[in-house]
């Protein structure tokens, strides 16, 4: 019996609290979620059930009095909630996003926000304005300092939990100021606001997450104590841009859960047909895409702790790649199911719901284009870093998933990755190490070849990127293409390195056929970069997928028991 | 459809073949206004009528024709129905059959494949237990007597022809969606400019327009061609149409996700047309064996639209199911966008045969290709 991959210990405890989602008697059941969705009703009881277990404590770093040891733990816990229902995960998990700005402030604001979160107060995040969308610099909500208080005026829309939330973190322009240093993040607690100084906007009816509270809030001179401002005056935009690095990484947990839900459903709906060649091939593609998402999201979460200066670009790559590929995974599974996905049976209804719900993950916290844009801005730095490889063992910590991470130090997050990203800089060393290993162990040859191919792609990307002129304000499409390639190559390199640094470690099951010769890496890289994939790798993956599905285990690289597998 | 007037209008006329470009084009205004109504025609009239027309038996066609021209809807079961002779009558059986329009249709038209060559059965569709589905319904058949029946020329040809007709009709829905998003892009201000001036957005909009023209060419070819070419063309058309909607949804941002407000119409098309992939794009039915390579699909398009240098039908058909579709570069995007904007302004459809369409929303002026600073 392998030792648990550390974040899965919490996940299994939560699963044990929540019970088998197929059992209609449990609070957080599939049936309850479908019912609430049809009624467009907020899953209040389910959220309260999560509160009872202590999920809110995982939205607060341990250093601030919470239970969140690392972002990696938070990512996988959110995934466990999302694999049951995305409306709940988004409705409850929003508090992580709302609270996160405070961790960049001083001890007082950290303490204040931690107190709210630990008491179960939903915290929302008010960035977006109706007229300005992604263009945060154009924001018109203002904050004005008068009589020792900060006064908020203006409207934030579309805001998750704006109505039911108790507190909103508001990005606001300091009255009369212009430019990037003209903004503050201010926590507005409804309980402390004078009557008539704010109103919430009506719930918007949405394509998916129909029960969620998607609304808005309008302030008219709402007084907020000065201590509710995060950091120094004028640093709000910088706070948000750093906070987004953490939230974009966490969003991948929503996709991991959504992808898992869809894939499990497809396996069940197909029944014995799952093993037919066409179905098997498509299910395997989906499984490999899901594992690719797991690996790249996990490495990004570790990056927040081990290489925080790189997270600006790594989080953008993950937020671009993971929701996009998970939407595609779900769509292709729908194609495979054909009319069965539409027949109105209980599983078809859930499949339709997860497909609709998951579409939102790509939209918030910067959509795919906005995240590519964040990478585009850093292409010159990434190109320059190609010439500065780092030695393999030195870089292995990011990819050694059995090893603990140091505490989160939000102050070490940077707006640009001045020295490039470790995962790519370590790739030459990792590929070389694999080559040496394969010389001694022939079963590793296919894996070493894959690593060499990833390296070749990375080098060609470096050349292409170096040849690009710096992007003008109206970014040309070829820069976006380079950013897309960066994200795919980054994910492939992360897969190679995770194998190298983690195989043979305690959380890996000794008899897992995917790890022995790196079968999962071969298939994941095939899906990311279109490299060939051999049949033995597919066979090993199929064995794992069918076993995990049958035995009620999480669809993951590591063993993790779900409630439907019996918690023992 | 129900709002659009008489069902009878959608019954392919007299003895003429159902494979008609006119019929397909007639569906477009309906889809343009309401894709859900267009899609619901598939089970209520198009699929049963096409199958009845292609079946070797006038009685079947007359029965379906009388029902539809009398103003009632059909339900259509394409798979899973079996038949047995019992008590001196042929009766239909099958549980949990996905039935198009099963919850509403009062005449059941079903392909029976239980033994030998497939045949078409017509039966009373009322009184059977039904479960309402998302795009189709489950109906329990437990010995419903067959009223009339006739052999089919194989089960796939009617499936492919009716699928092609609906895909061709859906060009109208995607036309309206593109129109909506173009208006949004022209008026939405970001970073001191409009979305329509951001090269990435321009590349997506222009690509969507090129793809809509290609989808039209494929659908036209599909309604008249013989299988399997028709099936492959339909399959490719549905992939193009749903791919366009994905790109347009990205462009519309949050507003794509809202079911109310000025852009709610886009979401309504998006929701309704998701079913296109299942309703007329099943590769097992349309393209026996492997999906043809892009060059072969392009050849199927028959009369493809003229496209500017830098974009070709083959290139647009090369990555039909990719996660992302690459935006067109300016040399290809700009001429397409000029044409697209001109069509929007003059109120004509965005397909191969520009015809006037209803436009009620004022169109903001195109600020064109002049690239200003984005500060
Ligand atoms: C259900 C839901 C919940 C939400 N919850 C919250 C919340 O809790 N808090 C919050 O603050 N916001 C929230 N949002 C808003 C969300 O974050 C916005 O969708 C986002 O800010 C983008 O704005 P927009 O959708 O208006 O698109 P716009 O920013 O107007 O973008 C329009 C188009 O421009 C393109 N574009 C944008 N920037 C670039 C660029 N640099 N280069 C090229 N193209 C570009 C986009 O791709 C898109 O095609 C929510 C939205 C939804 C739908």
């Amino acid at each position: 019996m392998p030792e648990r991959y550390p974040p899965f210990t919490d996940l299994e405890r939560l699963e044990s609290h929540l019970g088998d989602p197929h059992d209609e008697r449990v609070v957080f059941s599939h049936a309850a979620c479908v019912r609430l969705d049809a009624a467009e009703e907020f899953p209040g009881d389910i959220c309260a059930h999560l509160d009872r277990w202590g999920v809110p404590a995982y939205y607060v770093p341990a250093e601030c009095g919470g239970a969140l040891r690392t972002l990696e733990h938070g990512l996988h816990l959110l995934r466990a909630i999302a694999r049951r229902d995305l409306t709940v995960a988004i409705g409850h998990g929003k508090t992580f996003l709302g609270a996160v700005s405070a961790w960049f402030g001083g001890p007082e604001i950290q303490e204040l926000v931690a107190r709210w979160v630990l008491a179960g107060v939903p915290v929302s995040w008010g960035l977006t304005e109706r007229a300005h969308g992604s263009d945060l610099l154009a924001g018109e909500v203002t904050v004005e300092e008068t009589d020792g208080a900060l006064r908020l005026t203006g409207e934030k829309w579309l805001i998750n939990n704006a109505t039911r939330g108790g507190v909103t973190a508001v990005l606001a322009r300091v009255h009369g100021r212009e430019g990037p240093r003209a903004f503050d993040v201010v926590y507005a607690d409804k309980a402390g606001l004078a009557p008539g100084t704010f109103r919430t906007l009506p719930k918007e009816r949405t394509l998916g997450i129909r029960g969620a509270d998607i609304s808005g809030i309008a302030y008219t001179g709402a007084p907020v104590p000065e201590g509710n401002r995060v950091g120094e005056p004028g640093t709000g935009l910088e706070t948000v841009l750093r906070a987004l690095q953490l939230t974009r990484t966490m969003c991948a947990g929503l996709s991991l859960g959504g992808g898992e839900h869809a894939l499990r459903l497809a396996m069940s709906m197909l029944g014995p047909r799952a093993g037919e060649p066409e179905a098997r091939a498509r299910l395997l593609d989906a499984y490999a895409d899901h594992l690719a998402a797991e690996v790249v999201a996990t490495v990004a979460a570790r990056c927040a702790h081990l290489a925080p200066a790189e997270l600006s670009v790594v989080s953008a790559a993950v937020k671009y790649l993971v929701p996009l590929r998970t939407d595609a995974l779900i769509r292709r599974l729908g194609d495979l199911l054909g009319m069965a996905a539409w027949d109105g049976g209980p599983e078809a209804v859930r499949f339709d719901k997860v497909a609709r719900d998951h579409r939102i993950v790509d939209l918030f916290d910067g959509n795919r284009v906005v995240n590519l844009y964040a990478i585009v801005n850093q292409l010159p730095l990434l190109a320059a870093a190609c010439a500065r490889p780092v030695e393999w063992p030195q870089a292995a910590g990011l990819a050694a998933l059995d090893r603990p991470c140091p505490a989160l130090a939000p102050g070490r997050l940077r707006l640009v990755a001045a020295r490039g990203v470790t995962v790519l800089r370590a790739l030459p060393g990792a590929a070389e190490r694999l080559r040496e290993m394969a010389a001694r162990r022939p079963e590793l040859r296919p894996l070493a070849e894959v690593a060499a191919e990833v390296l070749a792609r990375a080098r060609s990307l470096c050349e292409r990127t170096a040849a690009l002129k710096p992007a003008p304000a109206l970014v040309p499409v070829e820069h976006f293409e380079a950013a897309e390639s960066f994200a795919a190559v980054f994910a492939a390199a992360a897969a190679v390195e995770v194998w190298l640094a983690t195989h043979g470690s305690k959380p890996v099951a000794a008899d897992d056929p995917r790890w022995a010769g790196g079968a999962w890496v071969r298939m994941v890289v095939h899906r990311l970069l279109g490299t060939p994939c051999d049949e033995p790798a597919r066979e090993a993956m199929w064995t794992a997928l069918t076993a995990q599905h049958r035995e009620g285990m999480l669809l993951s690289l590591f063993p993790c028991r779900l409630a439907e597998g019996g918690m023992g | 459809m129900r709002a659009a007037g008489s069902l009878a209008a959608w019954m392919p006329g007299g003895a003429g073949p159902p494979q008609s470009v006119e019929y397909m084009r007639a569906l477009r205004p309906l889809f343009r206004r309401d894709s859900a109504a267009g899609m619901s025609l598939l089970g209520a009239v198009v699929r049963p009528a096409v199958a009845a027309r292609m079946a070797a038996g006038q009685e079947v066609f007359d029965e379906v024709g009388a029902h539809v021209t009398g103003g009632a809807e059909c339900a259509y079961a394409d798979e899973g129905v079996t038949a047995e002779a019992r008590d001196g009558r042929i009766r239909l059986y099958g549980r949990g059959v996905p039935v198009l329009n099963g919850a509403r249709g009062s005449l059941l038209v079903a392909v029976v494949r239980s033994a030998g060559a497939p045949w078409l059965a017509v039966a009373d569709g009322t009184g059977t237990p039904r479960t309402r589905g998302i795009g189709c319904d489950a109906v329990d058949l437990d010995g419903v007597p067959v009223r009339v029946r006739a052999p089919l020329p194989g089960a796939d040809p009617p499936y492919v022809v009716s699928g092609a007709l609906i895909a061709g009709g859906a060009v109208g829905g995607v036309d309206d969606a593109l129109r909506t998003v173009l208006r949004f892009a022209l008026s939405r201000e970001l970073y001191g400019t409009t979305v329509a001036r951001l090269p990435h957005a321009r590349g997506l909009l222009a690509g969507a327009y090129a793809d809509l023209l290609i989808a039209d060419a494929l659908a036209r070819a599909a309604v008249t061609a013989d299988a399997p070419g028709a099936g492959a063309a339909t399959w490719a058309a549905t992939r193009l149409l749903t791919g366009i909607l994905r790109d347009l949804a990205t462009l519309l941002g949050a507003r794509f996700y809202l079911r109310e407000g000025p852009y709610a119409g886009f979401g309504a098309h998006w929701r309704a047309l998701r079913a296109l992939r299942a309703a007329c794009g099943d590769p097992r039915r349309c393209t026996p064996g492997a999906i043809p390579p892009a060059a072969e699909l392009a050849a199927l398009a028959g009369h493809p639209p003229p496209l500017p240098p830098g974009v070709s039908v083959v290139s647009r058909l090369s990555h039909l199911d990719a996660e992302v579709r690459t935006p067109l570069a300016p040399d290809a995007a700009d001429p397409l966008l000029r044409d697209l904007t001109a069509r929007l302004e003059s109120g004509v459809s965005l397909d191969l045969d520009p015809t006037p369409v209803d436009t009620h929303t004022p169109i903001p002026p195109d600020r064109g290709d002049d690239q200003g600073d984005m500060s």
Side-chain angles (χ1 to χ4, degrees):
Chain A
M1 188 68 175
E3 227 171 63
R4 281 293 178 253
Y5 162 56
F8 286 176
T9 314
D10 290 338
L11 200 159
E12 287 189 345
R13 278 202 310 114
L14 177 63
E15 277 290 319
S16 157
H17 169 72
L18 296 177
D20 182 352
H22 298 96
D23 179 350
E24 293 198 15
R25 292 163 304 177
V26 309
V27 177
F28 196 173
S29 68
H30 291 314
C33 295
V34 165
R35 218 171 28 246
L36 290 164
D37 190 63
E40 307 198 17
E41 201 179 301
F42 188 82
D45 289 347
I46 300 176
C47 287
H49 197 53
L50 293 177
D51 288 349
R52 277 193 289 280
W53 184 80
V55 172
Y58 284 79
Y59 303 151
V60 179
E63 304 74 51
C64 302
L68 184 70
R69 270 164 290 164
T70 69
L71 208 61
E72 196 180 359
H73 285 76
L75 172 86
H76 292 294
L77 204 69
L78 187 61
R79 151 197 204 167
I81 301 170
R83 74 138 193 129
R84 289 169 185 250
D85 188 53
L86 278 162
T87 309
V88 173
I90 290 167
H92 197 275
K94 190 72 202 187
T95 291
F96 175 84
L97 280 71
V100 82
S101 298
W103 320 137
F104 295 87
E108 290 83 11
I109 191 79
Q110 290 185 358
E111 212 173 286
L112 179 68
V113 174
R115 216 175 321 122
W116 281 324
V117 177
L118 296 173
V121 176
V123 181
S124 58
W125 204 14
L127 297 182
T128 308
E129 297 178 19
R130 204 182 290 262
H132 304 299
S134 317
D135 187 3
L136 297 181
L137 264 174
E140 293 177 70
V141 170
T142 58
V143 55
E144 192 172 6
E145 225 171 311
T146 47
D147 313 327
L150 304 172
R151 289 189 182 272
L152 282 172
T153 301
E155 179 197 276
K156 290 288 179 182
W157 177 90
L158 299 155
I159 308 302
N160 184 0
N161 284 339
T163 300
R164 60 176 285 278
V167 176
T168 305
V170 182
L171 177 69
R173 176 185 295 279
V174 180
H175 189 72
R177 286 236 223 132
E178 293 293 327
R181 294 192 65 85
F183 292 88
D184 282 344
V185 172
V186 172
Y187 278 88
D189 174 13
K190 282 179 189 162
L193 297 182
T197 60
F198 78 96
R199 72 189 162 84
T200 56
L201 308 180
K203 172 179 161 69
E204 295 286 346
R205 296 179 67 224
T206 45
L207 167 72
I209 56 164
R210 292 189 175 180
D213 162 23
I214 307 298
S215 52
I217 189 160
Y219 302 99
T220 36
V224 178
E226 199 166 338
N228 289 17
R229 171 167 44 207
V230 178
E232 294 299 313
T235 58
L237 192 66
E238 193 179 329
T239 298
V240 163
L241 292 178
R242 292 197 284 163
L244 278 168
Q245 298 175 24
L246 300 178
T247 61
R248 285 175 177 168
T249 306
M250 280 290 270
C251 280
L254 300 171
S255 289
L256 288 178
E260 165 129 14
H261 193 166
L263 184 48
R264 299 189 90 84
L265 270 170
M267 292 285 288
S268 308
M269 290 164 82
L270 287 165
R273 272 212 299 136
E276 290 173 9
E278 170 73 13
R280 176 185 183 269
R282 298 220 219 161
L283 290 165
L284 273 177
D285 286 349
Y287 186 47
D289 289 346
H290 174 69
L291 295 185
E294 178 179 53
V295 165
V296 72
T298 304
V299 168
R302 295 174 66 82
C303 194
H305 300 260
L306 291 157
E310 302 174 10
L311 197 64
S312 59
V313 70
V314 168
S315 63
V318 167
K319 178 64 176 50
Y320 160 73
L321 204 67
V322 172
L324 174 77
R325 292 180 66 88
T326 304
D327 273 331
L329 173 164
I330 297 172
R331 185 171 64 247
R332 293 190 187 115
L333 288 174
D335 288 347
L336 172 63
L337 292 169
M339 292 310 279
W342 299 93
D343 72 4
E347 289 176 319
V349 169
R350 273 169 56 207
F351 192 86
D352 174 59
K353 175 167 157 43
V354 71
R356 283 187 286 108
D357 289 352
H358 187 268
R359 288 289 315 203
I360 187 57
V361 184
D362 181 44
L363 284 175
F364 54 47
D365 274 21
N367 77 1
R368 69 185 72 162
V369 186
V370 170
N371 280 291
L372 284 179
Y373 183 68
I375 300 172
V376 163
N377 281 330
Q378 305 205 37
L379 286 175
L381 294 171
L382 296 171
C386 297
R388 291 195 300 267
V390 289
E391 293 301 312
W392 165 248
Q394 201 184 317
L398 265 179
L401 305 193
D402 58 321
R403 285 194 224 155
C405 289
L408 185 71
R412 291 178 55 217
L413 298 187
R414 293 286 171 267
L415 297 189
V416 290
R419 302 170 61 80
V421 292
T422 304
V423 166
L424 287 186
R425 292 172 63 200
L427 186 59
E432 175 57 22
R433 175 89 190 94
L434 266 168
R435 203 184 56 78
E436 289 163 9
M437 286 169 76
R440 278 175 280 120
R441 293 170 54 191
E443 77 277 12
L444 293 181
R445 261 185 223 146
L447 179 59
E449 281 163 20
V450 163
E453 181 57 30
V454 178
L455 179 61
R457 302 286 181 103
R459 287 192 167 136
S460 123
L461 174 66
C462 282
E463 284 164 21
R464 229 170 86 207
T465 313
L468 282 177
K469 293 201 188 89
L474 291 173
V475 179
V477 291
E478 61 265 30
H479 287 70
F480 281 102
E481 278 172 50
E484 277 170 27
S485 302
F486 166 79
V489 170
F490 174 82
V496 169
E497 292 172 27
V498 163
W499 186 89
L500 193 55
T502 312
H503 80 279
S505 71
K506 287 182 180 155
V508 175
D511 58 349
D512 188 330
R514 297 168 304 170
W515 281 88
W520 69 263
V521 183
R522 276 137 61 196
M523 184 129 195
V524 157
V525 175
H526 157 70
R527 293 293 300 158
L528 287 165
L529 301 182
T531 50
C533 183
D534 50 287
E535 188 48 35
R538 289 178 197 275
E539 194 54 48
M541 290 281 274
W542 183 250
T543 306
L545 168 62
T546 47
Q548 286 178 341
H549 178 252
R550 189 180 54 242
E551 291 162 17
M553 305 291 284
L554 191 72
L555 302 182
S556 168
L557 284 175
F558 302 112
C560 177
R561 188 157 292 285
L562 299 175
E564 48 266 59
M567 299 307 295
Chain B
M1 162 207 26
R2 286 162 268 276
S6 162
L7 278 173
W10 304 111
M11 189 67 204
Q19 293 109 311
S20 122
V21 171
E22 282 65 43
Y23 185 92
M24 178 191 86
R25 288 187 49 221
L27 289 166
R28 286 197 184 157
L30 170 63
F31 269 93
R32 210 175 279 130
R33 256 196 314 277
D34 183 353
S35 283
M39 287 304 291
S40 76
L41 273 185
L42 184 67
V45 183
V46 178
R47 203 151 257 177
V50 166
R53 164 60 60 225
M54 295 175 94
Q58 186 63 30
E59 248 188 335
V60 164
F61 185 71
D62 291 346
E63 184 85 20
V64 172
H67 186 77
V68 173
T69 48
E73 297 177 22
C74 300
Y76 185 78
D78 197 66
E79 280 183 59
V81 177
T82 58
E84 275 175 40
R86 265 194 212 166
D87 311 328
R89 300 197 62 174
I90 297 183
R91 294 174 186 275
L92 300 179
Y93 296 89
R95 287 189 65 82
V97 181
V99 178
L100 291 172
N101 204 37
R104 303 176 64 108
S106 46
L107 187 75
L108 179 68
V109 181
V111 178
V112 180
R113 306 158 197 264
S114 44
W119 49 275
L120 198 66
V122 178
D124 182 0
T126 55
T128 43
R130 295 134 192 253
T131 318
R132 181 121 203 133
I134 307 157
C136 55
D137 312 299
V139 176
D140 288 324
L141 298 170
D142 193 15
V144 182
V146 171
R147 244 189 239 167
V148 285
R149 66 195 183 109
L152 279 170
D156 289 341
Y159 174 90
V160 169
V161 171
S162 50
L165 287 169
I166 285 294
V171 166
V174 179
D175 172 324
D176 188 62
L178 175 53
R179 207 173 281 282
T180 303
V181 174
L182 179 58
R183 278 197 205 99
F184 168 78
L186 289 167
S187 60
R188 176 70 163 171
E189 294 197 2
L190 282 182
Y191 321 113
T193 184
T194 59
V195 169
R197 290 171 73 200
L198 301 174
H200 189 278
R202 295 178 71 76
L204 287 183
L205 282 165
Y209 179 41
D211 289 350
L212 189 60
L213 295 170
I214 299 168
D216 189 5
L218 285 164
R220 280 164 196 260
V223 285
T224 46
D226 292 332
T234 303
W235 179 85
T238 59
R239 263 53 193 170
L240 277 178
L241 292 172
T242 47
I244 295 169
L245 289 173
R246 283 204 302 282
D247 284 351
L248 295 180
T250 301
L251 279 159
L252 201 51
R255 283 154 183 83
F256 143 68
Y257 212 67
L258 304 183
R259 284 187 290 146
E260 284 164 340
Y263 299 98
F266 175 86
H269 286 304
W270 188 89
R271 289 194 300 279
L273 295 178
R274 280 182 311 156
L276 258 191
R277 297 170 75 92
C280 40
D282 181 343
R284 284 170 309 161
R285 303 287 298 279
C286 296
T287 58
I291 289 154
E296 266 175 51
L297 289 175
L300 290 173
H303 303 288
L307 295 173
V311 54
S312 67
V313 177
V314 176
S315 67
R316 297 307 293 177
L317 291 169
S318 291
H319 304 285
L320 274 178
D321 233 4
E323 286 85 19
V324 276
R325 292 146 32 91
T326 311
L328 292 178
D331 51 346
D334 290 349
L336 280 163
L337 274 179
R338 268 195 297 275
D339 188 30
L340 173 61
T341 317
R343 286 209 197 186
L344 182 76
E345 280 168 359
S346 54
V348 295
S349 61
L350 308 178
D351 53 13
L352 284 175
D353 184 14
T355 44
V357 295
D358 289 345
T359 45
H360 302 294
T361 321
I363 301 161
D366 183 15
R367 303 210 199 135
D369 312 329
D370 53 315
Q371 315 259 299
D373 265 355
M374 196 169 61
S375 47

